[in-house]
Amino acid sequence: MEMQETMMGRGRDAIDMIVDADSFKEGTVGAKTFDDPEFGPGAVVGTAGLDGKDVTIIASDAMAFNEKFPVVYAGIIGMEEGYKMAQAVYASMAADADKSAAEKRALVLIVDTPGNGPGKVEEIIGMNKATGAYQLALAEARLKGHPIVAMVIGRAISGAFLCHGLQADHILSLDAQFGTMIHVMPITSISRIIKKDIETLEELSKGNPVFAAGPRFFSALGGVNELVGSIEGMRPAIIKHIAEIRALKAAGEEDKLGPWGRGLLGEEVKGRVARPKVIAKMNEEFAAVAEKYAPSR
């Protein structure tokens, strides 16, 4: 049987496959230059052309190793990487601050990360602040009109995916045959935490995607906007979704994008049927006591 090509560990290759030929300028976003090779080496940031338009590229490099922080390797997003990625987002916003929404550059996130692996030093200094800063930057850019597309090419795991992907307007993923993996934690870890045997969880995963891992299960929850069936299909899919995102933003339908939009998509595909009921119940209970805690003036 012929081996299926995989993009895992090939973030830099993915950039070349997606952007216009020879257009990627690493280390430059707007007026900002990232000229220290020892700062966040696992984060690849820069500007490229995509269908003739400037885009910001943010990727994780699975081949890089941060010598200052031994746990940052194989695509792990460490403290410096989080801050570097956040800086690239803010540099994008600054470069397009005076442009109309239709002209604001898109941000393309190339996702292949096994998670966060903070050591003691990073935890003490503030690893959570770095990843939080990156999440906030992407959320701000999305609300300011920048289309953001996350393209999962390998692993999209845990807290690293939370900051490098889940704030995107749309999430795309190579389909399961390419070895892509999307989950918070493996079933083995879930088993240890909730004290249920692996066999039970594997059986539950057949009917409930919450317990399962992989892009198709995440898609069943509304978490993936499109499963891409070929490596060559990444570029046209990203171009298509950027156009769709721009159209929704122009129509004032931002609620159909980002985390809230994925919740709506989950309802549409019948993967998150309890969500609207829970939201309605919470709104009902809040309304009943709102005057007590937030009196009208």
Side-chain angles (χ1 to χ4, degrees), residues 130-242:
T131 54
Y134 183 29
Q135 290 178 64
L136 177 62
L138 288 173
E140 289 185 19
R142 178 165 48 80
L143 295 175
K144 285 184 179 296
H146 292 268
I148 306 177
V149 175
M151 179 73 237
V152 179
I153 65 166
R155 303 148 298 175
I157 310 298
S158 192
F161 186 41
L162 185 65
C163 64
H164 186 49
L166 280 177
Q167 282 296 333
D169 286 299
H170 278 183
I171 296 174
L172 319 180
S173 176
L174 286 174
D175 209 344
Q177 69 265 29
F178 297 97
T180 44
M181 184 59 63
I182 303 177
H183 64 68
V184 174
M185 63 178 66
I187 283 180
T188 51
S189 297
I190 297 174
S191 174
R192 287 195 297 270
I193 291 170
I194 69 172
K195 309 302 181 186
K196 283 191 176 293
D197 60 84
I198 292 175
E199 292 74 18
T200 298
L201 293 175
E202 287 177 341
E203 189 63 32
L204 284 170
S205 72
K206 295 177 182 178
N208 190 334
V210 170
F211 290 95
R216 294 182 185 180
F217 294 108
F218 201 62
S219 178
L221 291 170
V224 171
N225 296 83
E226 181 178 344
L227 293 170
V228 181
S230 70
I231 290 174
E232 297 75 17
M234 293 190 296
R235 173 184 164 91
I238 292 170
I239 292 171
K240 180 186 75 172
H241 280 270
I242 289 174

Side-chain angles (χ1 to χ4, degrees), residues 105-124:
R105 72 189 65 198
L107 279 66
V108 178
L109 317 180
I110 310 297
V111 183
D112 178 24
T113 173
N116 296 126
K120 183 176 180 180
V121 173
E122 295 96 305
E123 289 280 20
I124 292 172

Side-chain angles (χ1 to χ4, degrees), residues 38-154:
E38 295 183 358
F39 177 70
V44 182
V45 302
T47 303
L50 182 60
D51 203 26
K53 298 177 182 177
D54 281 350
V55 297
T56 294
I57 299 292
I58 305 177
S60 46
D61 184 359
M63 299 295 108
F65 174 71
N66 192 327
E67 293 187 359
K68 297 189 291 297
F69 304 105
V71 294
V72 179
Y73 63 95
I76 286 173
I77 296 177
M79 182 174 61
E80 287 188 347
E81 283 70 22
Y83 280 129
K84 184 176 179 180
M85 291 169 161
Q87 289 172 9
V89 177
Y90 283 117
S92 303
M93 286 190 277
D96 293 353
D98 297 328
K99 294 181 180 179
S100 67
E103 297 176 305
K104 290 184 185 292
R105 72 189 65 198
L107 279 66
V108 178
L109 317 180
I110 310 297
V111 183
D112 178 24
T113 173
N116 296 126
K120 183 176 180 180
V121 173
E122 295 96 305
E123 289 280 20
I124 292 172
I125 296 175
M127 176 71 192
N128 61 321
K129 293 181 180 179
T131 54
Y134 183 29
Q135 290 178 64
L136 177 62
L138 288 173
E140 289 185 19
R142 178 165 48 80
L143 295 175
K144 285 184 179 296
H146 292 268
I148 306 177
V149 175
M151 179 73 237
V152 179
I153 65 166

